[in-house]
Amino acid sequence: MQRGRFAPSPTGLMHVGNAFVALLAWLQMRSANGGFILRIEDLDRGRSRTHFVEQIVSDLRWLGLDWDEGPDVGGPHAPYVQSQRMARYEQAMAKLTERGLTYPCFCSRADIAAIASAPHGWFGDEPRYDGRCRLLSASERQHRAEQKSPSLRLQVPAEVTVSFVDLVRGCQVGRPSDGGDFVVWRADGVVSYQLAVVVDDAEMEVTDVLRGRDLLASTLRQGFLYEAFKLPPPAYAHVPLIVDEGGRRLSKRDGDLTLFALRSIGVAPERVVGLLAHLAGLLERPEPIRPYALIPRFQMAKLPVSDIVWTAEHQSYLQPH
Ligand code: GLU
C-alpha cells in the first residue's frame, strides 16, 4: 500500500500555499487508496508553538481532509510529533558517527558567511560551506570543543550524484556536494531537518513524498542519507509554489491568505478547495467542491510545473458568499 504524508512546521498559521500542498498530497494518496499521515515538524523550538499545531489540525479538518495516522488520532508509528522522537534521531546519528561519516564543525554562522563560496545551481542562494573543519586534528577538535559545542556535518564526497524521477518535474540528477557538507546535528543539540525527515519517512514507511519545489535541493541531501542508511528512498513529487505578482512565495506574513483569516471572514472551505484544485489543473474553472469529490479527478500529469501567480482575481473569488 502506498503511504503519503503532510509534514507542516507549526511556526505560523497555514496559508493557501500550505493548503495547496496538503490537498495534493492527500489527493495523491486517496486516489491510490493509500494511507495518509499527518506529522508535525516542530524541531525549530524557538519558532514552533502548540497553538499552531492545534490550528493546523483544525484548518485541515475544516478543508475536509482526513488522515489515518497523526498526532490527534495516533497510529502504529506514534508519536507523530518530531520533538517527541529524539531517541530515534539519536540512534540514526550514532550509526552515521560509528561509520565515520561525520565530523564536528565549530564554525559560526558569521564564519560560514565569510568563507562560503558561491552557491551552485541546485542550492540557490544558500552559502556553500567549504568543509574546513573536516581538516582539524584530533587535538584541535578537543581544544575547540572546550570552548564551543560543535554541529555535526555529514561528509559528502564530491563525486556522488543522486538521481530520481520526480512525478511532476521528470528526471532529476544532481550532486549533493554542490551544497557542501551539511549539518545533520545542530550545535544546539537538536537533529537537523534533513536527518529527521529521512528517519521519520523511513520509519513511517512513507512511499510517496509530495511537497513544495522549494525542497528540491533537500531531496539530493536526503537521497544521500538514504544511501548512507542503505534504505530505499520514497518517490517524490515537487509541486510548484504559489507566488505573489512580484514572484515572491506566499509566506506566513501574508496574513489575509491564512486559512484562519479566510475562515474568520466566512469563506466556505469548498471555495478554497475549488480554487486550489483549479490552480492545480484539476478543475477547468474554480467552483465550490469538497476534497472527496476531487479524488476521481486527480492526475499527477495535470499539475503545472511552473510557479502559480496569485492574482487579485483569485483573491476576489475567495470572498464570503
Ligand atoms: N516541515 C517542512 C515544511 O513545513 C516540510 C518537510 C517535507 O515535506 O519534507 O516546510
Side-chain angles (χ1 to χ4, degrees), residues 1-199:
M1 187 173 85
Q2 281 176 272
R3 289 166 59 81
R5 46 57 158 200
F6 179 58
S9 303
T11 56
L13 294 168
M14 272 185 71
H15 56 69
V16 291
N18 309 123
F20 182 71
V21 174
L23 175 66
L24 294 175
W26 181 88
L27 281 171
Q28 183 195 18
M29 283 309 108
R30 293 304 185 226
S31 65
N33 279 318
F36 194 58
I37 302 166
L38 176 65
R39 183 174 71 229
I40 301 297
E41 301 205 325
D42 60 344
L43 292 173
D44 187 344
R45 301 307 294 154
R47 291 170 60 225
S48 296
R49 299 283 178 274
T50 319
H51 69 269
F52 289 135
V53 177
E54 285 155 17
Q55 193 63 41
I56 289 168
V57 167
S58 158
D59 286 344
L60 291 169
R61 294 228 183 266
W62 174 77
L63 282 175
L65 304 183
D66 59 3
W67 43 94
D68 311 298
E69 297 170 34
D72 53 336
V73 295
H77 301 283
Y80 293 90
V81 176
Q82 285 190 324
S83 59
Q84 297 168 19
R85 299 175 59 80
M86 290 308 280
R88 291 168 176 85
Y89 308 137
E90 278 160 15
Q91 272 167 19
M93 188 62 227
K95 276 189 203 160
L96 296 176
T97 309
E98 252 163 51
R99 291 170 48 201
L101 299 176
T102 64
Y103 62 89
C105 169
F106 299 91
C107 295
S108 65
R109 236 175 248 268
D111 293 335
I112 292 167
I115 59 177
S117 54
H120 295 49
W122 274 73
F123 290 88
D125 46 16
E126 189 186 319
R128 182 181 187 282
Y129 179 63
D130 67 358
R132 61 183 54 195
C133 285
R134 205 197 271 201
L135 307 173
L136 295 177
S137 67
S139 65
E140 243 168 327
R141 278 180 186 161
Q142 203 178 351
H143 174 69
R144 295 228 195 159
E146 281 157 20
Q147 274 120 55
K148 181 182 190 301
S149 37
S151 62
L152 298 172
R153 287 184 186 266
L154 188 65
Q155 292 185 38
V156 188
E159 68 284 1
V160 169
T161 59
V162 170
S163 57
F164 57 98
V165 180
D166 190 277
L167 298 177
V168 174
R169 309 172 74 85
C171 193
Q172 307 288 317
V173 186
R175 287 180 197 278
S177 59
D178 284 356
D181 295 339
F182 60 92
V183 173
V184 282
W185 206 268
R186 297 179 348 206
D188 62 0
V190 179
V191 63
S192 75
Y193 157 70
Q194 306 292 354
L195 179 58
V197 86
V198 166
V199 170

